[in-house]
Amino acid sequence: MAINYTDIEKLAELARIQLNDATIAETTQSIADVLSLVDRLNAIDTKNVDPMAHPTDAIQCLRSDNVTEVNQREAFQVIAPCTKNGLYLVPKVID
């Protein structure tokens, strides 16, 4: 797919941004480079390549799920303007 100067002008107009001629030319070239790379990647035969979730088959080391903080809800709710049954009450904003 090719992109040209007028395509970038139209995109800028749709996005409601103002671009000068130099920026449009630079953006056109950058997008053309990206599209060229995508075309090269699409040309690669991947028929015999199995899909994988991660290229290095890394295993994520997770920490244990232990509570490390003390419950301070009562201390925080003392300074809240309005609470009920352990919940913060706020004004209704949607009818």
Side-chain angles (χ1 to χ4, degrees):
M1 176 180 183
I3 192 156
N4 58 34
Y5 190 91
T6 54
D7 293 333
I8 300 300
E9 282 183 319
K10 183 64 176 174
L11 287 172
E13 178 185 340
L14 292 172
R16 304 288 193 259
I17 57 175
Q18 184 177 3
L19 300 176
N20 61 29
D21 291 340
T23 304
I24 292 174
E26 182 181 322
T27 304
T28 303
Q29 184 59 47
S30 294
I31 292 176
D33 292 344
V34 170
L35 292 175
S36 172
L37 176 62
V38 170
D39 288 339
R40 287 177 37 209
L41 290 173
N42 282 334
I44 298 172
D45 180 22
T46 59
K47 190 185 305 182
N48 296 324
V49 177
D50 293 331
M52 58 183 133
H54 195 278
T56 62
D57 291 328
I59 298 173
Q60 186 175 8
C61 299
L62 301 175
R63 64 175 171 80
S64 60
D65 191 14
N66 297 328
V67 176
T68 59
E69 299 293 323
V70 295
N71 184 357
Q72 299 181 23
R73 179 172 51 177
E74 290 79 20
F76 293 141
Q77 288 191 343
V78 167
I79 60 173
C82 191
T83 62
K84 181 178 180 182
N85 296 330
L87 303 173
Y88 295 96
L89 302 179
V90 296
K92 185 176 181 178
V93 293
I94 299 176
D95 289 327

